[in-house]
Amino acid sequence: MDRTPVGGRTRRGSREPIVLRLFAEGDSIADLTSLLHRAYSGHAAEGRVFFASYQSVEDTAYRLGRGECWLALQAGGLVGTVTVAALHEVPKGYPDPAGSGSFWQLAVDPSYRGTGLGQRLLALAEERIAALGSSRVVIDTSVEAVDLVGWYRRRGYVPVGSWRWAVTNYESVVLLKELGPGVPGL
């Protein structure tokens, strides 16, 4: 596994491959937080205040400590991330079938949108959740983020409920995907 430290931003179109690896000692939580802010800034500009658009470095450290945090790096620069967990903790009443895995902080640097990196990170999240022992994935996102909800639905996620988090300003749609055999690989 590549152990390149998380560094500055790179440019789309680089000939360097994008490497996926676990967050490691020496990686910068501040760089990760900055990526999250950039990736979610479009939602915030449209009035949807995703927690990742404003969370602190301490919040990022807490959230990545609740699962496996994966980084997407190109030429040593951080261009994407996702954090995954199986059998994750949810508040009472959250519409989450028992034994579900989840992922959060799926983020792609805005300059890398349309490159397939988001799909690659989603496939990694699903693969890791299955490897950790869950046969289904439950996530949530703003019901108002119609394009994003559609992106997940085209990838097999179906609505199973709704939820309202205290740290956002919107109603979330909760989405479920059964993983089954043949989880897409990387």
Side-chain angles (χ1 to χ4, degrees):
M1 214 176 265
D2 181 2
R3 290 290 177 199
T4 308
V6 175
R9 295 165 61 181
T10 62
R11 296 188 183 198
R12 181 177 174 174
S14 168
R15 294 181 190 258
E16 294 289 323
I18 293 177
V19 175
L20 302 179
R21 68 160 173 84
L22 282 167
F23 190 91
E25 186 175 331
D27 287 339
S28 171
I29 295 174
D31 286 351
L32 180 58
T33 303
S34 178
L35 167 68
L36 292 167
H37 290 178
R38 287 192 312 276
Y40 286 87
S41 66
H43 291 291
E46 292 179 5
R48 294 181 299 273
V49 184
F50 282 69
F51 186 59
S53 71
Y54 70 89
Q55 70 190 38
S56 69
V57 171
E58 294 78 18
D59 292 326
T60 302
Y62 173 77
R63 294 181 84 193
L64 73 88
R66 293 180 55 224
E68 292 181 355
C69 180
W70 288 83
L71 306 176
L73 301 159
Q74 186 174 51
L78 182 60
V79 297
T81 188
V82 65
T83 301
V84 303
L87 308 176
H88 67 289
E89 296 178 33
V90 293
K92 184 176 178 164
Y94 185 87
D96 180 19
S100 297
S102 191
F103 62 85
W104 52 91
Q105 297 188 153
L106 174 60
V108 172
D109 187 278
S111 66
Y112 282 75
R113 292 209 179 112
T115 66
L117 180 55
Q119 177 64 41
R120 191 170 168 201
L121 288 165
L122 178 62
L124 169 67
E126 291 172 355
E127 182 178 274
R128 291 301 307 142
I129 288 167
L132 293 167
S134 291
S135 62
R136 67 183 69 85
V137 180
V138 175
I139 60 166
D140 62 75
T141 192
S142 171
V143 70
E144 298 168 12
V146 176
D147 290 344
L148 184 57
V149 172
W151 187 82
Y152 283 118
R153 293 201 64 179
R154 288 188 300 278
R155 285 152 183 84
Y157 288 79
V158 295
V160 294
S162 62
W163 189 254
R164 183 148 190 118
W165 294 103
V167 294
T168 64
N169 68 342
Y170 54 78
E171 184 82 12
S172 292
V173 58
V174 179
L175 301 161
L176 169 76
K177 181 175 181 179
E178 296 287 342
L179 295 177
V183 174
L186 299 176

